[in-house]
């Protein structure tokens, strides 16, 4: 797993609604059974919409225990607030399901 800062503005939209804007996003690239698509993690402090925590959890052997969040009742994101030492940079950040949001880098 490789975690890299993104050196430009990242915006996250649900349809046309801006839900997050940051200059502190992280790109995570990891290999499991195959090479996964990179995920962008946004600091919780830069999310302008209200995300509702869900009762759903999962475990990643590289990152730790994940919690999930919804926007307007639709699950759109996950977070690792109890991460392993190797992924501590992700604490307090959310990643989004790419089929549920539109992520724009730059501009």
């Amino acid at each position: 797993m490789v975690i890299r800062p993104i050196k430009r503005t990242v915006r996250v939209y649900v349809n046309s609604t801006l839900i997050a804007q940051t200059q502190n996003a992280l790109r995570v690239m990891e290999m499991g059974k195959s090479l996964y698509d990179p995920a962008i993690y946004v600091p919780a402090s830069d999310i302008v919409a209200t995300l509702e925590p869900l009762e759903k959890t999962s475990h990643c052997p590289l990152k730790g225990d994940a919690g999930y969040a919804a926007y307007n009742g639709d699950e759109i994101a996950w977070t690792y607030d109890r991460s392993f030492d190797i992924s501590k940079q992700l604490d307090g950040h959310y990643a989004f399901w790419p089929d549920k949001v539109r992520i724009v880098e730059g501009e």
Side-chain angles (χ1 to χ4, degrees), residues 81-95:
D81 282 331
R82 296 175 309 278
S83 59
F84 295 139
D85 288 343
I86 191 172
S87 58
K88 279 293 182 201
Q89 287 176 270
L90 302 180
D91 282 2
H93 288 67
Y94 282 85

Side-chain angles (χ1 to χ4, degrees), residues 12-96:
V12 181
Y13 295 88
V14 172
N15 299 315
S16 62
T17 302
L18 178 70
I19 63 166
Q21 180 172 316
T22 187
Q23 293 182 333
N24 297 300
L26 300 170
R27 187 180 326 275
V28 176
M29 296 155 285
E30 64 182 293
M31 180 79 133
K33 294 179 184 174
S34 63
L35 180 62
Y36 297 126
D37 289 336
I40 294 176
Y41 284 74
V42 173
S45 59
D46 292 333
I47 297 174
V48 297
T50 300
L51 298 183
E52 303 107 28
L54 298 172
E55 293 295 317
K56 178 180 175 181
T57 62
S58 65
H59 178 79
C60 172
L62 286 176
K63 297 185 290 281
D65 295 325
Y68 293 81
Y71 175 71
N72 287 339
D74 189 22
E75 178 185 316
I76 65 164
W78 68 92
T79 184
Y80 291 95
D81 282 331
R82 296 175 309 278
S83 59
F84 295 139
D85 288 343
I86 191 172
S87 58
K88 279 293 182 201
Q89 287 176 270
L90 302 180
D91 282 2
H93 288 67
Y94 282 85
F96 298 88

